[in-house]
């Protein structure tokens, strides 16, 4: 627990009134989580749920590998994305958003993205297409990459890599917790927890240089255009059991983030935090 014995630092987050903004439970329609986005091979090739049929979909299912209700994200070889955008247009500056995300990925592919903190107006200065994202960087290795604002908007640096097992039963369910501070003036911060344990903290981050929001699902790592591939190898899925988002505190999202009461109590007692072993100042 000495991870949490940290120094105090004043941040610009406004005083929180607890509010659960998203409370998705597996089995509910995707619209409870947000706006569905399915896309074909080419960027901008947006599909309606009906167009994509069985080849790309986001549907509530009973996951027969765990007997749990889930939201199943599925994509065949030549589809770019199956994602849901949450809080689109609703994220504000100078706040902290707490996110809990419980999921199972049956099979990974290199570069497969499972979460994006995405800037919609990606050409607005300073450019920062995807302020940060979580993706598979190697066999069952998940990485967090942050994009330094400016230049072409895709100047990405990896700040953390950890184990994220993939497979076909309940032992492959993982919990992700994130606290995203949208402070302006380069004083934002990002905390990541995996399976209830601290993974990384970034200070001095810029996470709100434009219209930004969280995106859940599967993106990238599709087959190249016109390339004949083994369909089973390239098809990807994820099963999402729980998503919670709050602008109040960790306690609101503890269930989906997989944080015990003890950890939440410690986090709240030491808020705001900085300068720990697992932190990096940008
Ligand atoms: C969130 O969802 C769970 C499960 O569906 C439900 O039990 C709980 O009451 C909801 N919480 C709020 C604050 O709506
Ligand atoms: C799911 O539930 C069914 C019916 O109770 C049972 O036969 C099956 O073994 C269960 N599967 C798992 C993975 O628990
Ligand atoms: C956010 O905070 C910065 C600096 O603390 C301040 O200049 C700015 O006006 C604030 N913006 C909003 C939208 O609250
Ligand atoms: C890219 O980001 C790194 C890390 O912040 C920085 O050192 C470098 O100058 C940036 N490169 C460009 C082209 O902006
Ligand atoms: C953008 O710049 C980065 C270096 O900052 C470079 O690695 C990347 O290839 C560039 N991307 C494009 C699309 O030009
Ligand atoms: C990741 O998994 C490998 C192989 O199972 C193990 O040796 C290593 O300690 C794990 N790393 C972490 C940070 O848990």
């Amino acid at each position: 627990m000495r991870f949490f014995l940290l120094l105090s630092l004043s941040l610009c987050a406004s005083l929180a009134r607890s509010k659960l903004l998203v409370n998705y439970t597996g089995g509910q329609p995707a619209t409870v989580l947000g706006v569905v986005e399915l896309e074909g091979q080419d960027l901008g090739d947006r599909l309606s749920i009906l167009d994509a049929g069985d080849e790309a979909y986001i549907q509530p299912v009973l996951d027969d590998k765990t007997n749990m209700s889930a939201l199943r994200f599925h994509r065949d070889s030549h589809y770019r994305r199956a994602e849901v955008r949450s809080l689109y247009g609703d994220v504000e500056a100078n706040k902290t958003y707490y996110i809990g995300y419980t999921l199972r990925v049956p099979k990974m592919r290199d570069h497969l993205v499972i979460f994006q903190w995405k800037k919609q107006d990606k050409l607005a200065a300073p450019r920062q297409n995807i302020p940060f994202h979580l993706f598979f960087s190697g066999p069952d290795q998940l990485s967090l990459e942050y994009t330094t604002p400016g230049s072409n908007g895709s100047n990405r640096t990896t700040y953390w890599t950890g184990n994220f097992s993939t497979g076909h039963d309940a032992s492959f369910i993982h919990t992700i917790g994130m606290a995203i501070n949208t402070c302006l003036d380069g004083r934002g911060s990002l905390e990541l927890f995996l399976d209830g344990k601290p993974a990384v903290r970034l200070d001095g981050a810029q996470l709100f240089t434009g219209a930004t929001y969280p995106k859940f699902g599967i993106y990238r790592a599709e087959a190249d255009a016109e390339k004949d591939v083994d369909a089973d190898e390239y098809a990807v899925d994820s099963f999402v059991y729980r998503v919670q988002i709050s602008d109040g505190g960790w306690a609101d999202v503890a269930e989906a983030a997989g944080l015990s009461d003890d950890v939440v109590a410690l986090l709240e007692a030491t808020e705001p935090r900085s300068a720990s072993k697992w932190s990096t100042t940008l």
Side-chain angles (χ1 to χ4, degrees):
M1 281 306 157
R2 73 203 147 87
F3 276 126
F4 301 113
L5 298 174
L6 307 162
L7 302 177
S8 176
L9 176 85
S10 81
L11 290 177
C12 72
S14 52
L15 275 179
R17 260 174 321 198
S18 192
K19 192 167 157 216
L20 204 49
L21 304 170
V22 170
N23 186 27
Y24 180 83
T25 301
Q28 293 175 330
T31 48
V32 173
L33 183 56
V35 179
V36 168
E37 257 188 22
L38 301 173
E39 199 166 327
Q41 181 89 63
D42 300 318
L43 192 61
D45 181 10
R46 294 289 154 86
L47 304 164
S48 76
I49 292 176
L50 292 176
D51 289 341
D54 286 347
E55 299 182 356
Y57 57 82
I58 303 173
Q59 277 170 10
V61 296
L62 180 67
D63 171 12
D64 63 7
K65 300 292 195 285
T66 61
N67 274 348
M68 287 165 62
S69 293
L71 188 62
R72 180 176 186 176
F73 293 70
H74 173 83
R75 197 191 71 180
D76 277 356
S77 323
H78 289 286
Y79 287 79
R80 177 178 288 260
R81 81 175 84 235
E83 290 186 300
V84 171
R85 15 168 126 173
S86 281
L87 302 182
Y88 184 55
D90 292 335
V91 174
E92 296 169 8
N94 299 345
K95 289 178 76 162
T96 303
Y97 292 89
Y98 298 85
I99 299 180
Y101 183 18
T102 305
L103 76 163
R104 176 175 75 85
V105 180
K107 185 190 65 178
M108 58 140 295
R109 290 190 47 73
D110 266 359
H111 307 300
L112 181 72
V113 175
I114 59 169
F115 177 82
Q116 301 189 61
W117 182 250
K118 163 73 182 169
K119 177 175 169 182
Q120 190 61 20
D121 46 348
K122 63 180 183 184
L123 299 179
R127 289 194 192 184
Q128 194 187 22
N129 182 14
I130 305 168
F132 80 92
H133 65 184
L134 298 174
F135 72 105
F136 286 97
S137 57
D140 285 2
Q141 296 288 291
L142 194 70
S143 288
L144 181 146
E145 255 184 357
Y146 168 76
T147 301
T148 301
S151 65
N152 64 11
S154 297
N155 182 13
R156 304 199 285 249
T157 306
T158 298
Y159 285 97
W160 169 86
T161 298
N163 291 334
F164 192 98
S165 59
T166 55
H168 301 282
D169 64 51
S171 70
F172 297 99
I173 296 174
H174 294 283
T175 52
I176 293 171
M178 293 173 275
I180 301 165
N181 178 273
T182 57
C183 184
L184 301 178
D185 307 337
R187 291 188 297 129
S189 63
L190 167 62
E191 279 181 335
L192 175 73
F193 285 73
L194 179 64
D195 297 329
K197 298 191 184 69
V200 69
R201 177 182 169 104
L202 300 183
D203 285 298
Q206 295 192 58
L207 299 167
F208 200 69
T209 59
T212 312
Y213 56 90
K215 254 180 155 177
F216 302 87
I218 46 183
Y219 172 50
R220 291 204 182 124
E222 73 278 16
D224 290 342
E226 289 160 34
K227 187 176 173 193
D228 247 350
V229 294
D230 175 354
D232 287 342
E233 189 192 331
Y234 277 80
V236 281
D237 290 276
S238 82
F239 291 83
V240 173
Y241 307 103
R242 201 83 172 87
V243 174
Q244 293 175 305
I245 309 178
S246 164
D247 58 4
W250 281 113
D252 293 348
V253 304
E255 184 193 337
L259 298 178
S260 67
D261 292 349
D262 288 353
V263 170
V264 169
L266 272 161
L267 287 172
E268 292 187 337
T270 53
E271 187 81 46
R273 286 178 299 286
S274 177
S276 65
K277 274 202 233 169
W278 51 298
S279 76
T280 301
T281 299
L282 300 179

